[in-house]
Amino acid sequence: MTTKKTAHIISHTHWDREWYLPYEKHHVRLVELMDTLLDTMASKPDYKSFFLDGQTIILEDYLQVRPERRAELEALIREGRIGIGPWYILQDAFLTSSEANVRNMQIGHRDAAPYGTISKIGYFPDTFGIYGQAPQLMRQAGIDNALFGRGVKPTGFNNTVSDSYESSFSELVWEGPDGSKVLGILFANWYSNGNEVPTDEAEAREFWERKLADAERYASTNQLLYVNGCDHQPIQCDLPEAIEQAKRIHPEVEFIHSNFEDYLASVRGAMSGEGQLSVVKGELRSQRTDGWSTLVNTASARVYLKQMNQRGQSLLESTAEPLAAIAHRLGQAYPHHLFTYAWKTLMQNHPHDSICGCSVDEVHREMVTRFDKSRHVAESIIDDSKGVIASALRTSGFAQYGENALPFVVFNTSGWERSGVVAVELDVSRIYFREGKSIPEMNSMMKAIGLEGRTLLNEQGDAVHCDVEDLGLQFGYDLPDDRFRQPYMCRRVRLTFEATAVPAIGWRSFAWVQTNEAAVSASGEEAALVEGNHVLLNDYLRVEVQADGSLIVTDKTSGREYRDLLVFEDTGDIGNEYMYKQPNGETAITTKGKQASVKLIENTSYRAALEIVHTLDIPASGDELFQQEKQEIVYFPSRKSGRTTECTVPLVIRAVVSLERSGRGVGIAVSFDNRAMDHRVRALFPSDVAASYHYADSIFEVAKRDNEPAKEWENPSNCQHQQAFVDVSNSEAGLTVANQGLHEYELLRDGRNTIAVTLLRAVSELGDWGVFPTPEAQCLGEHSFSLMLLPHGGGESDRFHAYERAYQFGITWQAAQTDLHEGELPACSSAVAWEGEGLAFTSMKIAEGTGDVMLRWYNMDNKPVELSVTVPEGGKEVYKSDILEQPSAGEEAASLVGDSRTHVQAVAPCEIVTLGCRS
């Protein structure tokens, strides 16, 4: 082994598509940078390599403006001089869903494929913490490494770094919860430590004396990494000359214009073995730092963005994809092109400066449009797929109730059987404009239709209690594939009822029919859901509202009481879009002990609800000193300002607490008009469960986290990320709090293990390296939030069932009206049936390359489990796949023999398992 040191200088630019400038202003600079890069590489063969930030979207952005340079760009990529991929975009890790992270990798590989090469680099240069399952996802994508700048050491604002960190070296072994390992490379001196290398001899001597010492301080081998570039950094065109100068000054060091692949190979070649490296396990959340630079409070900046993202992701991955896959099995073409477009549009909002809400206001206005565009495509796919499936169901069983029967289908696209309240709109009758009637005639005909004497039935002929709302005369239109649009007038109703036992990844049929009650099965009297004026109850839960609006929830199965739930807290925030900072010495304003208004607003056979209204007087904004400190760029932990004492505004919080007949959870819908600035609003849920740790939903993992921070932690706040839920439990009981798009929580160190969920954070500046006012980040105006409380027993099975319901909470019911017809599918069935205790179902889609049905789960448990899957009709064999939808190495496909369509798959602890089904 050579003892000569090698300095690997790797050129790059870290390209935030939008941040302190709107997208198009950064876009213009990107085009200039890429033009310079291509010109430099053409004129200087010794400018050998450039890494295009790990995200293929840069190719799209550049070629959108410069399509005439595609051939030059492609030639340089094929020569290996420009490295592309593996991601489509550099996403925030914790604020995007599990499946969004997979689609990001899939689309990045797909877009890189035409160029003939892809960088197999697990690239997370500036990610604000990384999920623990990244090593497993990297391995499943054929990547054996991960390069990152945050998570195991403090990295401050303006790219400043400090000396202490968790690993012994800048090289480490990163191990996921399933045992997958990758070689981790920490940018110990940041991803700009080789930036702007001098060509002047005197400057170069000083530069390299310092830089060589810095790198050797952390490196475990004689292979030293220098990353030549930074955020939006222009190309250093004279880098070849700078490298030649370095060689003359330090002939004992081999200076090379390198790339990440060669650098990683050199590190591995120089190591005596990975045993010399520190092993860092699981999540990289900067747990072992002072807590001031984690950037975790981006999880609550501009919460409305997170809510829109959650809805968009859920519609694509949990609704549109499985419905389109089922429709595909019925002969409908799977719209890969539309899914790619919808996912790309959504993922353009996933870079950390975008989804984190930590950019200037113009950036986030454009994001709202992207969210809408992606959602509109998803909704179109959903509507088309529902129509295909509904047309294939046998609804002819309802024909016995007459030709005026109105059948419809309710879809459950979650991975578990589901019961819940559904609202369905039905057209009782239509008359089309093409029929030649005048509009007044059509209106009169529709208004004359009677709605009496109808009953809602399920496919078994059982009567289902429902509420009917007459929506009256409505205009509508069809858009046929083979002719011009077809407008009509109709009489429309809305039916609200509880759909019970709808199969997983399946459907159940209903019809609103005209019939005598004696002709249908009687459902009998059902127990009331209301007791007195302030109590809701069903077979599983009892919910009592106290005078101050807090809840006492009793789990009837265990008899356990949870008290003081749903207290609201308001505090000042003198931080920024990145980090929360409560004014020194401030006392939180809460609703505890303050009289609330409580009234019953719903009492039906399927659901009851209570409305709770609080009014708090809170300071209108920060004080004058706060304005001064922002303008002077006072580092936020050092700020001495507070909230104004001159003016208050009312914060009127409306909470609707609901309980469904079959519900195992308490629904909570919160809304308010935010009129204050510089503050944070949270909902508090004391668990009173004795435990030193808790669980939080993360990326393909239910992460187990300590309640107490590490000894290095100084920040009084210890907020953390969640996806669908957070849970505190022990062997006796537990409380899960589920959410829709509320990604920030804190486990309070208050002796009660209180779960505090952030609803809104109103701030006025971007923060980081300058003065960037963001008045729209104050989030003034109307807001609404959705949560669910899920008390559960202490067994692992109880905990996993609560998590299943939390996942379902984020998936909307779907329904489609149809007509009376025969069909190849049963009126109530499932596209895929499966069993596996502790497994979470995450995806059903069609592989683009093969047309195979792809199904994915992950093991929530740290124990092995057996997965039993009954595959769709026509399936002939099942194979294990990686996340790129390629058969796993060493795994053989299992043929399905005879009439059996069941496959059994062993799933390792914490494993992400994907099965492909060939027809």
Side-chain angles (χ1 to χ4, degrees), residues 577-596:
E577 289 182 321
Y578 291 96
M579 292 297 291
Y580 165 79
K581 172 69 166 67
Q582 185 176 5
N584 296 335
E586 183 200 41
T587 300
I589 301 168
T590 76
T591 59
K592 187 170 178 57
K594 297 182 175 70
Q595 185 71 37

Side-chain angles (χ1 to χ4, degrees), residues 534-536 541-546 549-555 560-566 666 789:
H534 291 181
V535 175
L536 309 177
L541 298 169
R542 183 180 189 275
V543 183
E544 181 177 355
V545 181
Q546 301 297 95
S550 65
L551 310 180
I552 300 174
V553 176
T554 304
D555 182 350
R560 177 95 180 204
E561 271 190 0
Y562 301 85
R563 305 181 68 89
D564 302 323
L565 303 174
L566 196 60
V666 181
L789 303 182

Side-chain angles (χ1 to χ4, degrees), residues 326-342:
I326 297 169
H328 176 71
R329 305 293 294 181
L330 297 168
Q332 176 87 341
Y334 191 83
H336 292 288
H337 56 300
L338 293 179
F339 276 119
T340 298
Y341 173 71

Side-chain angles (χ1 to χ4, degrees), residues 36 55 80 107 127 191 213 257 525 672 712 765 779 793 847 853:
T36 301
Q55 48 180 338
I107 291 175
T127 312
Y191 54 73
H257 197 187
E525 288 296 318
F672 54 76
E712 297 93 338
E765 65 167 349
C779 298
V853 178

Side-chain angles (χ1 to χ4, degrees), residues 33 58 66 81 119 161 256 267 282 352 422 437 441 449 498 528 539 670 798 819 836 871 907:
L33 179 145
I58 291 178
R66 284 291 213 178
R81 295 181 69 187
S119 296
V161 296
I256 59 174
V267 168
H352 58 201
V422 181
K437 306 284 187 186
E441 284 181 295
I449 293 171
E498 185 176 55
D539 290 343
V670 179
D798 298 319
D819 54 19
V871 301
V907 183

